[in-house]
Amino acid sequence: MLKIKHTLCPSCSVGCGINVVLNEGEIVGTFPYKRHPINAGKNCLNGKNSIDYYLNKFKKAIVSNHETDIDTAISDLSKELNSIDSSSVTILCLGNNSVEEIEAIKNFAESKNYNIAFYADDLKDFKEVASYEEVANASSVFVIGDLLYENPLIGRRIVHAKQKGAKVYALGKSEKSVTFNIADETFNSSVQEFLNAIESKIDESSVIVFNYVDSKEDLDKLESIKCKVLPVFSNSNSKGTFDFVESKSLDEIVELLENTKALLVFDDVVDKLDYDFTRISKLISFACCENDTTKISDIVIPIKTWLEQDGSFVNAMGEVQNFSSVIESDNLSIIEIIDKLNE
């Protein structure tokens, strides 16, 4: 018997809704969630394929490249952590954990006196940001990054603004940027040069949408400009993570890693950060399925996907979005694993 259950897409910070299709209690696909206020049934390829996290999930824990049961892996992890000075243990998050999980991770780090770091694409938390509707109704939209390709449901709002007569100015890293196809003017400069070039064109009804910067100075410049901005993060709960953990730049994280003997990671950091993680003495991954980081990890602890638990994300415009479990699971959640480590 087919059932359809609503949930959120975990692929970026936009916060789109998706429908998950179950047949006889097993997840078999996705289906457009046409009543969702953010994406109205439209999903990018990452959203459609997000169920792969569940379909490819780990069945066993892994210790030293050998499968084992979860209790043995947690016991081995506990022994490893107890043998290392707490100042040499670092927890690294990228913004893909739910609000509830990141709160538990932060409390765990503080209780053990571990270092904790959060990487947010070198972006920052702007307290006042543009809503998606403000993007769609802007008089002019200034785009940093290929939003139409990388965050297409935000790109859709930019297209709507263009259809209503807005001017679109786009900065890209490549001449092949999809966003360039709808832009009135395109740039291949630094972010700072782009902001200086377009500053005279900005008014209070303009919006700047961006998913990368070159430097902290770019963020300072964006904050000083007299219009609303919308940073779009690559991970689902970066905006919510700022409330619990201070973000660090890539350089700051690399400096911290140089003094780390045991690293606990909650995402695919190898894919995100330019660092040789094989230099870490003990690399521990908490992951639902295989990724580049788990392949080089000493210990892999399987965790529930977002489909198997209740929780919440905070999307790019600051809205808290709740999601509910769509399927039962024998895997432990991050919160349940932390409880076991605290025993």
Side-chain angles (χ1 to χ4, degrees):
M1 181 178 181
L2 290 176
K3 288 186 178 180
I4 293 178
K5 294 191 176 182
H6 307 314
T7 188
L8 298 174
C9 174
S11 300
C12 76
S13 63
V14 177
C16 297
I18 57 174
N19 279 332
V20 176
V21 183
L22 295 93
N23 185 23
E24 303 298 334
E26 293 296 327
I27 293 175
V28 295
T30 60
F31 191 76
Y33 189 174
K34 294 184 178 180
R35 289 178 294 169
H36 197 272
I38 288 179
N39 58 310
K42 309 293 191 302
N43 287 110
C44 69
L45 188 59
N46 287 335
K48 293 174 182 176
N49 292 339
S50 61
I51 60 170
D52 288 347
Y53 291 118
Y54 173 82
L55 298 177
N56 299 321
K57 68 178 183 176
F58 285 118
K59 301 296 192 294
K60 290 276 191 176
I62 301 171
V63 176
S64 300
N65 295 319
H66 293 91
E67 289 189 345
T68 188
D69 62 272
I70 184 72
D71 289 331
T72 298
I74 291 174
S75 176
D76 287 353
L77 172 56
S78 184
K79 291 174 185 176
E80 288 285 356
L81 294 176
N82 290 334
S83 70
I84 300 171
D85 187 275
S86 62
S87 64
S88 298
V89 179
T90 296
I91 294 175
L92 179 56
C93 305
L94 298 184
N96 257 348
N97 301 108
S98 70
V99 170
E100 295 74 19
E101 288 172 336
I102 196 62
E103 183 176 16
I105 292 167
K106 177 202 173 188
N107 291 339
F108 175 64
E110 290 181 345
S111 71
K112 301 292 187 179
N113 292 316
Y114 297 156
N115 305 298
I116 184 166
F118 163 44
Y119 182 65
D121 309 319
D122 278 329
L123 303 181
K124 64 176 286 185
D125 185 22
F126 288 77
K127 295 304 178 185
E128 185 176 356
V129 297
S131 70
Y132 302 160
E133 285 309 303
E134 285 175 316
V135 174
N137 292 306
S139 62
S140 51
V141 184
F142 302 90
V143 186
I144 301 172
D146 194 0
L147 274 293
L148 263 71
Y149 179 74
E150 295 164 1
N151 306 101
L153 275 303
I154 293 292
R156 187 166 175 251
R157 266 45 177 222
I158 298 170
V159 171
H160 289 170
K162 174 81 172 179
Q163 291 171 340
K164 295 175 184 178
K167 295 289 186 182
V168 176
Y169 303 85
L171 169 65
K173 296 179 179 180
S174 166
E175 290 288 353
K176 296 180 180 179
S177 169
V178 176
T179 307
F180 282 7
N181 293 329
I182 67 161
D184 294 280
E185 193 170 347
T186 63
F187 299 78
N188 285 115
S189 64
S190 69
V191 172
Q192 196 71 211
E193 290 169 332
F194 173 71
L195 293 175
N196 290 336
I198 55 96
E199 192 164 9
S200 63
K201 299 178 173 67
I202 293 173
D203 58 37
E204 291 184 352
S205 61
S206 302
V207 174
I208 302 175
V209 188
F210 59 99
N211 62 14
Y212 81 89
V213 294
D214 297 326
S215 67
K216 181 180 180 300
E217 288 70 32
D218 296 338
L219 295 172
D220 294 338
K221 179 74 171 179
L222 284 161
E223 198 159 38
S224 70
I225 292 175
K226 302 301 182 185
C227 76
K228 286 193 174 180
V229 300
L230 180 64
V232 182
F233 304 97
S234 62
N235 288 320
S236 55
N237 193 45
S238 293
K239 184 75 172 171
T241 303
F242 282 114
D243 291 334
F244 297 96
V245 184
E246 182 181 356
S247 66
K248 293 184 181 296
S249 69
L250 180 56
D251 289 341
E252 290 172 325
I253 288 175
V254 168
E255 182 179 353
L256 180 59
L257 293 177
E258 289 297 304
N259 298 297
T260 294
K261 293 182 179 178
L263 178 65
L264 285 68
V265 299
F266 293 85
D267 207 332
D268 188 3
V269 295
V270 169
D271 185 53
K272 281 276 189 175
L273 304 179
D274 185 17
Y275 183 79
D276 181 8
F277 286 93
T278 61
R279 297 171 60 183
I280 305 291
S281 297
K282 290 295 178 181
L283 180 59
I284 300 99
S285 288
F286 298 80
C288 56
C289 61
E290 186 179 76
N291 56 48
D292 288 340
T293 306
T294 65
K295 291 176 183 177
I296 62 169
S297 294
D298 299 282
I299 299 176
V300 178
I301 306 292
I303 59 173
K304 286 183 177 179
T305 66
W306 89 108
L307 292 172
E308 301 162 280
Q309 58 188 319
D310 300 340
S312 58
F313 297 142
V314 180
N315 66 24
M317 60 178 173
E319 287 185 346
V320 177
Q321 297 177 282
N322 297 310
F323 57 89
S324 299
S325 171
V326 303
I327 192 167
E328 294 184 359
S329 169
D330 292 330
N331 276 359
L332 297 177
S333 68
I334 287 173
I335 295 172
E336 290 168 327
I337 293 166
I338 287 174
D339 287 343
K340 283 183 171 289
L341 289 171
N342 281 328
E343 290 177 355

